[in-house]
Amino acid sequence: MTSNRARARGWLLRYLPLEVCGTIAALVGAWLAFDASGSLAVAALVGSLAESVGYYAIVVVRTARGHAASDRVLRLGGGVRAALATSGLTLRSVAVEFGPAEVVDSVLVRPALLWAAGAVWGANPGAWLLGKLAADAVFYAIAIVSFELGRRIVLPSASASASAAAAAGRPSPTAILRPIDRPLTTGAPR
């Protein structure tokens, strides 16, 4: 059993790159939308959408690479069947880990907090950042629970991660991210 500190470190390694890209996209999107429209509501909605695009671009690529290197997909021998299997496993993994958090976050929490922060502290990136950070706390509370409960569904098999990394001459991702038994980043360069 891993310690709470090791598990938290694993979550940080797993989610921080996604968060950085999503944050930049949210701030740029909200700023451009407010500049174009003058509306806090439009800025909040565009900021929410931009963050999702920035965040999930990395999630989908990492997940697809991990599943494409898994034993389950490699046994299919490539081609259309392997591509369909990779796509299906990627969709399932992303839905299990992020689906519940995304529904609550996108429909209610994030737009409301981005709007409220702008209404209270003015239409500026600092206010939107505060609203975004408050929404992130809710999002990660749900996403981490979903990840931990769905770990076997979300992550490709550990043997696939190790064998794919060894074949490519890279260190095993399991060795890099010990707190996560079967990391999503399977062989993905950092």
Side-chain angles (χ1 to χ4, degrees), residues 59-112:
V59 170
V60 170
V61 168
R62 283 183 174 179
T63 305
R65 290 184 74 184
H67 285 299
S70 71
D71 288 337
R72 173 183 274 174
V73 173
L74 291 175
R75 283 190 302 251
L76 297 174
V80 173
R81 287 182 56 195
L84 289 173
T86 299
S87 298
L89 291 168
T90 299
L91 181 61
R92 180 185 74 171
S93 294
V94 172
V96 167
E97 183 172 6
F98 296 106
E102 194 60 46
V103 167
V104 171
D105 183 65
S106 295
V107 173
L108 180 63
V109 173
R110 191 163 306 269

Side-chain angles (χ1 to χ4, degrees):
M1 198 96 198
T2 59
S3 72
N4 288 339
R5 176 175 275 169
R7 192 164 289 245
R9 182 177 177 271
W11 294 331
L12 183 67
L13 291 172
R14 180 176 186 81
Y15 297 117
L16 185 61
L18 312 175
E19 194 58 41
V20 169
C21 188
T23 299
I24 292 168
L27 292 175
V28 169
W31 186 3
L32 292 174
F34 183 77
D35 192 43
S37 70
S39 168
L40 286 175
V42 171
L45 290 173
V46 171
S48 295
L49 292 173
E51 181 168 20
S52 292
V53 169
Y55 189 95
Y56 287 109
I58 295 173
V59 170
V60 170
V61 168
R62 283 183 174 179
T63 305
R65 290 184 74 184
H67 285 299
S70 71
D71 288 337
R72 173 183 274 174
V73 173
L74 291 175
R75 283 190 302 251
L76 297 174
V80 173
R81 287 182 56 195
L84 289 173
T86 299
S87 298
L89 291 168
T90 299
L91 181 61
R92 180 185 74 171
S93 294
V94 172
V96 167
E97 183 172 6
F98 296 106
E102 194 60 46
V103 167
V104 171
D105 183 65
S106 295
V107 173
L108 180 63
V109 173
R110 191 163 306 269
L113 290 175
L114 286 173
W115 178 83
V120 172
W121 292 297
N124 66 72
W128 291 319
L129 180 61
L130 290 174
K132 179 231 176 311
L133 293 174
D136 284 349
V138 175
F139 178 85
Y140 284 111
I142 299 168
I144 288 171
V145 169
S146 296
F147 171 72
E148 291 298 331
L149 293 176
R151 183 181 283 267
R152 293 191 189 277
I153 294 171
V154 170
L155 301 172
S157 65
S159 63
S161 301
S163 63
R170 295 184 301 260
S172 168
T174 307
I176 294 169
L177 298 174
R178 292 199 194 288
I180 299 175
D181 299 331
R182 294 171 292 180
L184 182 64
T185 58
T186 314
R190 293 190 182 255

